[in-house]
Amino acid sequence: AQTVTQSQPEMSVQEAETVTLSCTYDTSESDYYLFWYKQPPSRQMILVIRQEAYKQQNATENRFSVNFQKAAKSFSLKISDSQLGDAAMYFCAYATKSSGDKLTFGTGTRLAVRP
Amino acid sequence: NAGVTQTPKFQVLKTGQSMTLQCAQDMNHEYMSWYRQDPGMGLRLIHYSVGAGITDQGEVPNGYNVSRSTTEDFPLRLLSAAPSQTSVYFCASSYWASKETQYFGPGTRLLVL
């Protein structure tokens, strides 16, 4: 079974600083996709960034970037220049077509941003 | 586009009652799914559908039924509500779950007494 592990239940960062959220996953597949979703207090799930496993280049989206280490099965999210609006729950997720195209989520990391 | 809509936003049920959570999308997505979110457990897949007339079970299907008669709608039925089904329920849709962005609805908060 595929599993996604987020070992940091809570993190805190000073506004304008950088923070890294950790995620590891377990799979025997070679072709898969990894995601980071943000859930603010409104509960709306918002896609932050997506990485395709066959791509060696790390995905970036403005202030958000990932460090994808395929051999280590690690997929961390770096948030640069943190803003108050970044405060939210962040979920790491994994999907592969061979598993029925289903998303498997980690348990989440709650990020607080200190002004 | 309205995106993914869910009704109701909040519902209180008594143990043993049945109800249907509605989900609709107007993006012509083939893939739709239902998740439940419980504290400390992230989102867990209940049921999913890869197209009209096709449904399959996810990680936690017991106590729930689904059907997909149209591309747009994917209702989730609770047959006999139990307190363990108290949760927040999210519907999501996409062209492909693994390759494409999944769009989530705003969620339905369900309390079973």
Side-chain angles (χ1 to χ4, degrees):
Chain A
Q2 300 135 12
T3 58
V4 178
T5 302
Q6 293 180 250
S7 59
Q8 305 154 316
E10 296 181 350
M11 293 282 286
S12 179
V13 64
Q14 191 75 35
E15 192 176 6
E17 298 294 312
T18 295
V19 64
T20 298
L21 309 184
S22 301
C23 173
T24 59
Y25 57 94
D26 184 23
T27 183
S28 58
E29 304 285 339
S30 59
D31 185 16
Y32 51 88
Y33 300 82
L34 296 162
F35 308 83
W36 278 99
Y37 278 88
K38 171 185 178 181
Q39 187 180 42
S42 66
R43 284 207 313 253
Q44 183 69 47
M45 294 288 288
I46 304 165
L47 179 67
V48 175
I49 202 164
R50 178 176 66 233
Q51 175 79 42
E52 297 165 356
Y54 67 87
K55 291 187 176 179
Q56 293 185 346
Q57 186 173 5
N58 289 327
T60 62
E61 288 287 342
N62 300 315
R63 298 182 295 107
F64 298 87
S65 61
V66 298
N67 183 4
F68 174 46
Q69 301 289 330
K70 191 171 184 178
K73 298 179 182 176
S74 171
F75 183 60
S76 60
L77 175 69
K78 186 172 82 170
I79 306 174
S80 304
D81 187 24
S82 296
Q83 300 175 0
L84 295 177
D86 295 334
M89 281 289 287
Y90 287 83
F91 292 96
C92 179
Y94 161 101
T96 175
K97 289 188 68 62
S98 67
S99 68
D101 226 29
K102 297 174 285 188
L103 274 178
T104 299
F105 284 86
T107 53
T109 296
R110 183 174 300 281
L111 178 66
V113 180
R114 304 186 302 275
Chain B
N1 285 354
V4 180
T5 58
Q6 291 183 237
T7 56
K9 291 183 179 179
F10 177 65
Q11 183 72 45
V12 179
L13 287 179
K14 294 181 179 179
T15 296
Q17 287 185 316
S18 62
M19 80 160 293
T20 299
L21 279 63
Q22 301 292 343
C23 174
Q25 52 91 11
D26 60 359
M27 296 173 281
N28 202 33
H29 286 162
E30 291 295 327
Y31 188 95
M32 296 186 73
S33 53
W34 277 101
Y35 295 87
R36 61 177 287 172
Q37 183 178 22
D38 302 297
M41 300 189 74
L43 278 77
R44 293 181 293 169
L45 183 65
I46 304 171
H47 285 285
Y48 66 102
S49 169
V50 299
I54 305 170
T55 64
D56 205 348
Q57 296 181 350
E59 181 184 356
V60 288
N62 291 341
Y64 307 95
N65 271 359
V66 293
S67 60
R68 184 96 179 269
S69 56
T70 67
T71 299
E72 294 78 19
D73 301 298
F74 191 44
L76 178 71
R77 281 181 286 275
L78 279 70
L79 308 173
S80 178
S84 61
Q85 294 179 305
T86 293
S87 188
V88 180
Y89 292 85
F90 288 96
C91 178
S93 76
S94 66
Y95 289 112
W96 290 104
S98 59
K99 295 175 64 176
E100 303 287 339
T101 299
Q102 285 211 38
Y103 295 88
F104 283 80
T108 293
R109 186 170 169 228
L110 178 67
L111 175 61
V112 182
L113 302 175

